Amino acid sequence: MSVVTSGRYTFPNYNLVFFIFLQLGLHSVEGVWPLPQSITSSPERYPLNPQAFYFTYGSQSAAQEGCSVLDEAFKRYFSLIFPDYSSGRFYSEVKFLQWKNENTLSVSAGQAYLKAETVWGALRGLETFSQLVYQEDFGSYYVNKTEIEDFPRFQFRGILLDTSRHYLPVQAILKTLDAMAFSKFNVFHWHIVDDPSFPYQSRTFPDLSAKGAFHPMTHIYTQLDVRRVISYARMRGIRVLPEFDSPGHTQSWGKGQSDLLTPCYSGSTPSGTFGPVNPILPSTYKFMATLFKEVSSVFPDSYIHLGGDEVNFSCWKSNPDVRAFMLKMGFGADFTKLEAYYMENIVNLTAALNRTSIVWQDVFDYHERHNHMLAPDLILLHIWKGVPASYEAELRAITKAGYRVLLAAPWYINHISYGQDWRNYYTVQPLNFSGTEEQKKLVIGGEVCMWGEYVDATNLTPRLWPRASAAAERLWSDEKQTSDVDKAFPRLKDFRCELLRRGIQAEPLFVGHCKHEYQGV
Amino acid sequence: GSPFVSLLLALSCCQGLHHNNIDDYVEAEPVFQASKYGSLWPLPQKVQISEVSFKLSSASFRIVDAKASSAGPSCSLLQSAYRRYYEYMFGSAKKQWGSKNNRRSDPSDLTELQVWITSPDSECDGYPSVTSDESYELTVNQPVAVLKAPTVWGALHGRIYSIYFHCQIISYFPFSKSINATIINDFPRFQHRGILLDSSRHFLPIKVILSNLETMAMNKINVFHWHIVDEQSFPYLSRTFPQLSEQGAYHPYTHVYTPADVKMVIEFARLRGIRVVPEFDTPGHTQSWGKGQKDLLTPCYSGSKPSGSFGPVNPILNTTYDFMAKFFTEISTVFPDGYIHLGGDEVDFTCWKSNPDIQKFMEQQHFGEDYSKLESFYIQKLLDIVASTKKGYLVWQEVFDNGVKLKPDTVVHVWIGGRSDKEMSNVTAAGYTTILSAPWYLDYISYGQDWQKYYKVEPLNFEGTDEQKKLVIGGEACLWGEYVDATNLTPRLWPRASAVAERLWSAKNVTDIDDAFNRLSLHRCRMVERGIPAEPLFSSYCLHEYKGV
């Protein structure tokens, strides 16, 4: 297996096979979350014997033993399915089976087959299979006869974690990656730096974290930490999308990189405070080029998130050099043009590194005002603002202009309220805007955002799960089949108990209990 | 460059609410600055902190009984408290690098904290009560610090760690911690400072309860109101009526509190100066009781036939009162506290109305159509039963509102929001003692710093005489369990309940919200450092982040 370098799954076809030794029984099927595109199950059920059960590769499979992603996944899912058995045989025997050109999971007498185009599909299939297995009170494991055909509705299903407003220990990130795989999320959007702190330890600019992190030793992500996160995510079929947000949200950058930020003026003298990145200095772009070169070598994903949101113009306005530059460039008094100028430079910079840029919607909104557009193949826009009416309008406008787009606005999960707010996340209709089929295809997915003002390792997990799982089903499953939120309730309730069983402290949906309650504190 | 300064900078650059669908740029919300009171929480009544500071080293520092103290080595409550606080200050003994060293001490070291219990009866082996004296005096000076308290309950509150406010800054140097010369005179403003946990809507494993008792002690909370059973489940394993939990718990073995569990909770709480007040709420909120106790609940009727569903406790049968007498006799022996909470809230009359036997009874008693009279009839009998067990009782406000005759020492628990000040006024005008919960329903969550809302409450802000105000003995933060279980209880409770804790402990004029933010930020980091996942107040960091992921 080669390293994941892209979100596009262009690997050769794989085929792998489970063998299960079976007897007949009766039980109804437990739910799978998110709901597969097509599932047929029968009351016929088969016991699973942990001592005899194993995963193995089909003979025609392009992936064979030695494929690290699947070898590891076999181990992981064995322990998830049989928590009482910490070790066992996983893939020692290889059986021969016909390869069929379908993405299917089929459980029938004796054996179960999982066919997938890529290892990434196989990971999703393993997750589904693990959710089909259930344990009866007396301890035996069962799986019902089942046929599943499955694929995601949207290719981008992300979760944003913010490690700048609070530092999240690596362990908390890894745990989140585990839980993400359980809900079939496939992108970890790492909002790694922002105003409050700069925890990313740069090889090229170590002062950024030495001076900009909350603490230069304990509150940073070393290169090793980052590699660990990326490889842990890869094993679970999750892309790591780093965000280095500029020109706003960069207070912490300024501590370790002098002259990067714009000096604000009070009258005719510098006030001692700093604003956004200084867009008029060549040194700024030189710095950014070097930093993003490093970032593109550290993070293998073909996308980089460049931010570009919420730029406060008051500091730029106060600075006489910036005003002179505006004049020279013919921007007049329109500072959105200056912002657009800056973003264009940064986008081109990352394009030169063979990376596609993702930017927050603000960039589109500014550019739209003066028909000063970046090419649609260079950027992807990320919608974060507003109520349904306004984000639907934004979806329409962005896709009409031919840009690909990601929707995050309805899934700001850091906003909490009393009661079952997961229902709001579930009932979102991402394609509910007026536009052509072509426009709808430009919506590549959605993202759950957990901003960090009020969240750190103490409350991240219960605040994220199972609320994010509601969005996961919206992004994976067929909308018609999953339009009834009341029908989803008992399934999500079961799924959250399964998360508990797997050690994820997912909070309750409502009164009730789980067989295995959370045993931590 | 002290680390304190860097913390200050880190916090002061937080730029408002990023990405919160607020188009206008929001300026920085709270700006952290060191409080002159460091991390003291809740703020003592009187405190003088000098600039002079002493070093504390794990090798030389000891907590000892003062010679004149009425509590000695046989007072296991204090001995285990000494160990607990020593470990909080210096980490567990296993981690002590210097533990093999001799007790060498620097002239500038503080080497001893002497704990001096001044009353002839230290109450060491007793239980805390509503009248316990929790006051203490703490003097930190060289070479020894002295903690004077009339009883062990005060001594628990005066643990040196609470003035050890530089811990946030210095604690990552393994041996060297410092403490300022300090004089503290402290006592609680209110006697009843409680937290309600609900173990019926979700079962709470014992471990979660214990760890929250530990956290209550860090916040000088002194009452654990254990809302142990309700509609949804009956996890209390009764020796007299074991079928109640067998049939009524979520699971008869894994989701119950055995007598040993309950004993453990009570003792764990006692060692931390916390009372355990159990609530067995009737006649409403009792669906789970009916599963294991036949004929206890009222059969509801649909027309002239029983519908198969059940309503509140059946108030017209003698068997009901026989059951309650036996049951509360058990409760009064299992729970040593002087008070039992009897509930009495939210009784739905529709089932009673539907039942022909109840209608007949109403006629016989001349209650007319007023079912609150029937409720009062029930409660009255129940109160008499409980009074015969020599226990006092607390009841939710409806019992008072319905005009039930209450013993003079009854505590009325005000919980209905909106006009709780009016209710406080009425209850105290009638001469009853009262506790306030209405503004402190912590299960209601919202985005942002809602601790400030809890902090700004003034419990005595109602119309009434000074005599009336004296009848307010405290309050409780309630964490009802609809959306709370072991997964999210602790971060949802702390530090939000800490805001309530200070309101109930500290002087009335302690209302500076900025100073509170500064102290509470450090206090929450201290809880995190002690292994409690207390959630953050706002963007910032703790030197030791939560490791329990």
Side-chain angles (χ1 to χ4, degrees):
Chain A
M1 261 317 299
S2 58
V3 177
V4 196
T5 53
S6 136
R8 301 193 185 93
Y9 303 142
T10 53
F11 292 88
N13 292 331
Y14 293 103
N15 180 22
L16 61 136
V17 180
F18 305 97
F19 289 87
I20 307 162
F21 296 89
L22 311 156
Q23 289 167 12
L24 235 63
L26 278 169
H27 194 269
S28 63
V29 176
E30 304 294 312
V32 175
W33 192 279
L35 190 72
Q37 301 289 341
S38 141
I39 178 165
T40 322
S41 61
S42 95
E44 196 177 327
R45 72 172 187 177
Y46 317 111
L48 274 71
N49 177 358
Q51 258 107 37
F53 175 86
Y54 55 93
F55 298 111
T56 187
Y57 295 91
S59 65
Q60 310 246 329
S61 169
Q64 292 294 341
E65 212 174 324
C67 166
S68 58
V69 169
L70 290 181
D71 287 354
E72 289 292 322
F74 288 170
K75 280 192 195 180
R76 219 163 52 234
Y77 279 103
F78 186 88
S79 306
L80 288 172
I81 294 169
F82 308 111
D84 316 344
Y85 294 80
S86 50
S87 62
R89 290 184 308 154
F90 307 114
Y91 44 88
S92 53
E93 280 185 51
V94 179
K95 296 276 172 172
F96 294 85
L97 269 156
Q98 281 293 314
W99 180 82
K100 286 180 203 161
N101 192 16
E102 288 160 357
N103 290 324
T104 56
L105 171 62
S106 146
V107 180
S108 58
Q111 295 173 335
Y113 314 94
L114 170 61
K115 304 188 193 71
E117 294 276 316
T118 67
V119 290
W120 318 119
L123 287 176
R124 306 298 167 234
L126 283 168
E127 176 56 41
T128 302
F129 177 73
S130 75
Q131 293 186 22
L132 290 174
V133 178
Y134 53 92
Q135 190 176 19
E136 298 243 299
D137 284 342
F138 48 89
S140 300
Y141 295 95
Y142 291 93
V143 64
N144 286 51
K145 184 173 159 66
T146 309
E147 296 282 338
I148 287 175
E149 209 170 316
D150 204 9
F151 52 88
R153 180 180 177 206
F154 293 105
Q155 67 175 87
F156 189 113
R157 304 177 306 283
I159 286 193
L160 175 149
L161 295 185
D162 170 1
T163 57
S164 172
R165 290 181 176 79
H166 285 99
Y167 176 81
L168 297 173
V170 171
Q171 202 51 43
I173 295 175
L174 301 185
K175 187 127 199 172
T176 304
L177 290 169
D178 271 325
M180 283 171 70
F182 301 155
S183 286
K184 297 189 170 76
F185 279 103
N186 68 348
V187 180
F188 166 37
H189 175 173
W190 194 349
H191 187 85
I192 192 166
V193 300
D194 204 299
D195 281 326
S197 77
F198 197 104
Y200 172 74
Q201 190 178 42
S202 161
R203 296 194 289 238
T204 346
F205 302 102
D207 272 356
L208 288 171
S209 64
K211 298 189 175 149
F214 282 137
H215 188 285
M217 304 299 291
T218 57
H219 287 61
I220 58 166
Y221 302 105
T222 64
Q223 291 291 316
L224 192 67
D225 291 336
V226 172
R227 276 207 298 277
R228 194 161 156 224
V229 167
I230 293 168
S231 112
Y232 199 89
R234 185 181 84 89
M235 286 297 173
R236 284 151 185 81
I238 297 170
R239 301 160 47 194
V240 177
L241 169 69
E243 177 178 354
F244 286 84
D245 190 353
S246 72
H249 290 283
T250 47
Q251 286 295 302
S252 69
W253 303 43
K255 293 179 188 165
Q257 184 66 21
S258 57
D259 300 334
L260 178 64
L261 303 187
T262 311
C264 313
Y265 276 65
S266 151
S268 59
T269 46
S271 70
T273 63
F274 294 89
V277 164
N278 193 334
I280 68 167
L281 301 179
S283 59
T284 292
Y285 299 101
K286 209 175 143 217
F287 165 81
M288 288 293 179
T290 316
L291 179 70
F292 280 109
K293 194 170 174 216
E294 171 183 330
V295 168
S296 69
S297 72
V298 171
F299 293 90
D301 200 78
S302 66
Y303 289 81
I304 293 181
H305 205 301
L306 300 178
D309 58 317
E310 297 186 307
V311 184
N312 180 8
F313 296 140
S314 59
C315 182
W316 280 350
K317 280 181 194 164
S318 78
N319 183 304
D321 299 330
V322 173
R323 287 199 305 264
F325 184 82
M326 293 280 289
L327 216 58
K328 193 179 101 189
M329 299 296 287
F331 292 163
D334 186 355
F335 283 84
T336 65
K337 287 188 177 160
L338 182 59
E339 209 261 348
Y341 165 83
Y342 172 82
M343 286 312 292
E344 197 181 318
N345 275 300
I346 302 295
V347 167
N348 288 335
L349 233 148
T350 49
L353 295 162
N354 278 324
R355 292 293 189 268
T356 306
S357 301
I358 304 184
V359 290
W360 296 107
Q361 69 180 88
D362 314 43
V363 176
F364 174 81
D365 299 346
Y366 290 155
H367 281 78
E368 198 191 26
R369 273 190 230 170
H370 22 82
N371 295 318
H372 187 75
M373 287 294 198
L374 285 152
D377 60 327
L378 288 182
I379 61 167
L380 200 151
L381 290 142
H382 201 161
I383 298 181
W384 65 274
K385 287 188 205 179
V387 294
S390 60
Y391 69 70
E392 282 160 14
E394 188 80 1
L395 278 166
R396 189 166 59 239
I398 290 176
T399 55
K400 200 166 175 213
Y403 290 94
R404 287 165 293 168
V405 65
L406 269 174
L407 184 62
W411 292 303
Y412 262 42
I413 210 158
N414 54 311
H415 291 190
I416 53 168
S417 59
Y418 184 73
Q420 300 198 34
D421 56 1
W422 70 273
R423 290 169 182 265
N424 304 334
Y425 307 129
Y426 192 79
T427 48
V428 172
Q429 296 175 290
L431 299 185
N432 188 27
F433 62 92
S434 55
T436 63
E437 282 308 302
E438 286 309 306
Q439 275 177 264
K440 309 243 161 150
K441 277 185 195 145
L442 291 170
V443 181
I444 63 159
E447 193 174 87
V448 171
C449 295
M450 183 61 96
W451 295 102
E453 281 86 350
Y454 302 103
V455 177
D456 71 1
T458 61
N459 58 355
L460 170 70
T461 307
R463 195 161 286 195
L464 191 52
W465 309 107
R467 293 160 77 227
S469 304
E473 179 150 298
R474 182 54 52 239
L475 293 171
W476 178 280
S477 307
D478 180 73
E479 195 169 292
K480 280 201 195 93
Q481 290 177 49
T482 55
S483 58
D484 187 337
V485 65
D486 292 325
K487 275 189 190 157
F489 178 75
R491 291 176 47 244
L492 187 56
K493 223 175 143 188
D494 286 350
F495 179 64
R496 103 99 188 172
C497 286
E498 178 60 23
L499 290 176
L500 285 194
R501 202 188 70 136
R502 296 180 180 195
I504 303 296
Q505 61 181 114
E507 68 177 21
L509 294 179
F510 194 53
V511 297
H513 78 293
C514 295
K515 198 167 139 191
H516 304 275
E517 298 290 358
Y518 180 67
Q519 290 303 325
V521 173
Chain B
S2 82
F4 212 98
V5 174
S6 70
L7 178 64
L8 181 80
L9 293 173
L11 283 150
S12 59
C13 70
C14 305
Q15 300 272 344
L17 303 168
H18 172 107
H19 285 301
N20 288 308
N21 298 353
I22 295 165
D23 286 329
D24 292 335
Y25 200 73
V26 183
E27 272 308 311
E29 271 204 349
V31 175
F32 180 88
Q33 285 180 340
S35 164
K36 65 176 172 174
Y37 299 116
S39 67
L40 283 173
W41 194 277
L43 194 68
Q45 301 286 345
K46 281 183 203 143
V47 53
Q48 291 174 354
I49 302 173
S50 115
E51 293 290 310
V52 181
S53 77
F54 314 116
K55 274 199 301 210
L56 288 167
S57 92
S58 62
S60 61
F61 184 75
R62 295 292 182 269
I63 307 177
V64 297
D65 298 308
K67 282 207 179 69
S69 178
S70 61
S74 64
C75 178
S76 56
L77 181 144
L78 280 185
Q79 300 306 322
S80 60
Y82 298 166
R83 182 169 60 195
R84 215 162 55 235
Y85 284 102
Y86 181 87
E87 287 184 354
Y88 279 148
M89 283 190 276
F90 302 110
S92 70
K94 275 182 231 159
K95 285 190 272 173
Q96 291 306 310
W97 302 356
S99 59
K100 283 177 194 158
N101 295 356
N102 296 329
R103 276 189 66 178
R104 281 180 290 117
S105 64
D106 213 76
S108 65
D109 274 7
L110 180 72
T111 55
E112 232 172 54
L113 171 67
Q114 293 185 357
V115 179
W116 180 3
I117 308 298
T118 55
S119 295
D121 178 10
S122 68
E123 300 186 28
C124 198
D125 301 312
Y127 288 92
S129 77
V130 71
T131 56
S132 292
D133 187 339
E134 296 176 287
S135 65
Y136 66 94
E137 279 173 50
L138 179 60
T139 314
V140 179
N141 214 329
Q142 242 185 330
V144 296
V146 179
L147 169 57
K148 261 170 84 172
T151 69
V152 290
W153 314 120
L156 285 174
H157 293 309
R159 60 280 172 117
I160 192 166
Y161 202 80
S162 57
I163 59 157
Y164 162 61
F165 49 89
H166 276 178
C167 68
Q168 305 303 320
I169 290 85
I170 307 208
S171 57
Y172 69 100
F173 301 114
F175 321 98
S176 109
K177 312 201 171 203
S178 65
I179 186 162
N180 289 45
T182 306
I183 301 171
I184 286 178
N185 250 299
D186 203 10
F187 53 87
R189 180 179 175 207
F190 293 106
Q191 299 143 268
H192 186 117
R193 304 177 308 281
I195 283 185
L196 176 150
L197 297 183
D198 169 359
S199 60
S200 170
R201 291 178 175 94
H202 286 98
F203 178 77
L204 300 174
I206 288 292
K207 219 172 122 184
V208 177
I209 294 178
L210 299 186
S211 117
N212 278 281
L213 286 168
E214 183 74 37
T215 319
M216 288 180 208
M218 295 174 200
N219 289 275
K220 296 186 168 66
I221 293 282
N222 69 351
V223 178
F224 167 35
H225 175 169
W226 195 351
H227 188 86
I228 191 166
V229 302
D230 204 298
E231 310 272 28
Q232 286 78 6
S233 76
F234 197 103
Y236 173 77
L237 199 161
S238 159
R239 280 174 296 209
T240 327
F241 302 101
Q243 69 278 15
L244 286 170
S245 62
E246 262 163 40
Q247 308 289 324
Y250 282 129
H251 188 284
Y253 303 118
T254 59
H255 288 63
V256 296
Y257 302 107
T258 66
D261 290 337
V262 172
K263 230 176 165 163
M264 194 202 298
V265 167
I266 292 167
E267 180 63 7
F268 193 93
R270 186 186 81 85
L271 290 176
R272 284 153 185 81
I274 299 169
R275 300 162 52 200
V276 178
V277 176
E279 176 179 354
F280 289 89
D281 189 356
T282 65
H285 289 278
T286 47
Q287 287 296 303
S288 69
W289 300 51
K291 293 182 184 159
Q293 186 65 21
K294 218 173 125 263
D295 298 335
L296 180 65
L297 302 187
T298 310
C300 314
Y301 277 65
S302 155
S304 61
K305 276 180 288 193
S307 69
S309 64
F310 293 87
V313 165
N314 194 333
I316 67 168
L317 300 180
N318 288 334
T319 52
T320 293
Y321 300 99
D322 294 342
F323 166 83
M324 290 296 172
K326 281 190 196 133
F327 183 76
F328 279 101
T329 302
E330 172 185 326
I331 298 308
S332 70
T333 60
V334 169
F335 292 90
D337 196 78
Y339 283 81
I340 299 176
H341 202 302
L342 297 175
D345 58 320
E346 299 185 307
V347 184
D348 181 0
F349 296 143
T350 51
C351 181
W352 279 351
K353 283 180 189 165
S354 77
N355 182 304
D357 298 330
I358 298 226
Q359 289 159 12
K360 209 180 294 161
F361 186 82
M362 293 281 288
E363 247 166 71
Q364 282 165 11
Q365 299 286 329
H366 308 293
F367 289 163
E369 287 297 301
D370 187 354
Y371 284 83
S372 69
K373 284 188 175 149
L374 180 60
E375 183 188 349
S376 299
F377 171 87
Y378 167 81
I379 296 273
Q380 200 68 67
K381 294 191 75 144
L382 181 70
L383 296 188
D384 294 343
I385 288 169
V386 174
S388 74
T389 68
K390 305 275 187 278
K391 294 281 187 187
Y393 40 74
L394 296 93
V395 290
W396 294 109
Q397 69 178 73
E398 288 100 316
V399 176
F400 166 81
D401 297 345
N402 290 341
V404 177
K405 192 173 100 243
L406 299 164
K407 278 201 305 177
D409 63 343
T410 302
V411 180
V412 178
H413 197 163
V414 175
W415 69 275
I416 297 175
R419 292 307 310 274
S420 59
D421 57 328
K422 189 92 186 71
E423 182 76 4
M424 297 290 279
S425 187
N426 292 343
V427 171
T428 53
Y432 293 109
T433 46
T434 180
I435 57 173
L436 179 65
S437 277
W440 293 314
Y441 266 38
L442 301 196
D443 50 319
Y444 291 117
I445 52 169
S446 58
Y447 186 71
Q449 297 202 38
D450 55 2
W451 70 272
Q452 300 192 353
K453 187 172 73 187
Y454 308 131
Y455 191 78
K456 286 174 182 163
V457 172
E458 170 44 54
L460 301 188
N461 202 2
F462 62 86
E463 273 179 47
T465 62
D466 286 350
E467 285 310 303
Q468 276 176 266
K469 310 257 162 136
K470 279 187 194 141
L471 291 168
V472 180
I473 58 164
E476 280 184 7
C478 298
L479 192 63
W480 295 101
E482 280 85 352
Y483 300 102
V484 176
D485 72 0
T487 61
N488 58 356
L489 183 143
T490 309
R492 190 158 291 189
L493 189 55
W494 309 106
R496 293 161 78 228
S498 304
V500 183
E502 175 151 301
R503 181 53 52 239
L504 293 172
W505 178 281
S506 305
K508 187 176 181 175
N509 63 4
V510 179
T511 53
D512 180 341
I513 200 90
D514 296 325
D515 187 63
F517 176 81
N518 298 331
R519 286 181 295 111
L520 188 55
S521 295
L522 296 177
H523 178 57
R524 101 96 187 171
C525 284
R526 178 167 48 219
M527 291 192 274
V528 168
E529 200 177 325
R530 292 176 180 186
I532 304 300
E535 67 179 22
L537 296 180
F538 193 61
S539 309
S540 74
Y541 75 108
C542 299
L543 268 178
H544 300 273
E545 299 290 357
Y546 183 61
K547 292 289 188 305
V549 194

